Amino acid sequence: MAVLKILRMGHPVLHRIADSVVAPDSPEVRHLVRDMLETMHDARGAGLAAPQIGQALRLFVYHVPSSRCQDGEAAIEPCALINPVLMPVGEEQMVCREGCLSIPGLRADVPRYKRVRYSGLNENGMAVSGIATGFHANVLQHEYDHLDGILYPERIKDFTRFAFQDETPA
Ligand code: NI
């Protein structure tokens, strides 16, 4: 296993549409997922998308720690979603306080859908699907955006609360 270098905003791989994973159950993809999980933990992130470590592939890893659960939401152990599909369920939105390992130190309020339906393959190449709410829905939408070359500043509607994490916006 290895901790990989995380690319920062401005690197071209972060700003392009990533390619589908052709062999989701290959040893190479399993190895990549393991390294991405280790990198995510090392950086104390909730999620990490393959473009952030320089691989323009449609795959991300994430977890939902119990400390981030809202309204009885269940914690989710670290896992991968490969070739994911996301669809909003309803039009209702929520405001999420987001950061990104590719934009260190900053936070902003970002509108996201409250509920999303997700599907894809997990770290074992098995099909998974479900409906996510709360922080789970937030992290899925943030990581999915990375696969389309979108970083959260492009989603900000209210820039008055775009700030360094160790400052307190008014
Ligand atoms: Ni990010």
Side-chain angles (χ1 to χ4, degrees):
M1 300 224 290
V3 172
L4 306 168
K5 182 182 176 188
I6 298 175
L7 304 181
R8 294 189 305 170
M9 181 167 61
H11 191 290
V13 177
L14 289 172
H15 301 276
R16 58 159 282 195
I17 294 175
D19 302 316
S20 294
V21 177
V22 175
D25 53 0
S26 64
E28 291 76 15
V29 170
R30 278 168 199 256
H31 191 151
L32 176 62
V33 166
R34 278 201 303 273
D35 284 350
M36 285 175 60
L37 286 166
E38 189 175 358
T39 304
M40 176 181 76
H41 291 310
D42 179 72
R44 299 174 179 279
L48 181 72
Q52 293 182 275
I53 47 90
Q55 300 277 344
L57 293 171
R58 302 191 78 80
L59 110 85
F60 55 76
V61 297
Y62 71 98
H63 65 136
V64 176
S66 53
S67 60
R68 303 298 298 267
C69 289
Q70 306 153 355
D71 305 330
E73 189 190 346
I76 294 173
E77 293 297 308
C79 60
L81 201 56
I82 301 169
N83 294 335
V85 176
L86 276 200
M87 289 287 287
V89 178
E91 293 291 310
E92 242 189 314
Q93 299 215 332
M94 58 185 175
V95 175
C96 301
R97 190 88 186 138
E98 292 193 16
C100 180
L101 296 174
S102 295
I103 313 172
L106 289 163
R107 292 289 184 274
D109 287 355
V110 182
R112 299 289 186 186
Y113 289 104
K114 272 193 168 176
R115 289 160 64 83
V116 292
R117 184 183 306 277
Y118 67 92
S119 60
L121 302 172
N122 70 9
E123 58 281 1
N124 299 313
M126 311 263 289
V128 290
S129 63
I131 290 180
T133 59
F135 184 70
H136 188 196
N138 181 190
V139 71
L140 287 176
Q141 289 170 88
H142 177 111
E143 300 310 327
Y144 187 91
D145 268 355
H146 275 297
L147 310 184
D148 285 339
I150 297 167
L151 300 182
Y152 77 78
E154 295 169 61
R155 301 282 190 197
I156 297 173
K157 295 283 193 285
D158 175 6
F159 278 91
T160 63
R161 286 175 49 77
F162 190 24
F164 286 97
Q165 186 181 12
D166 52 9
E167 298 287 350
T168 308

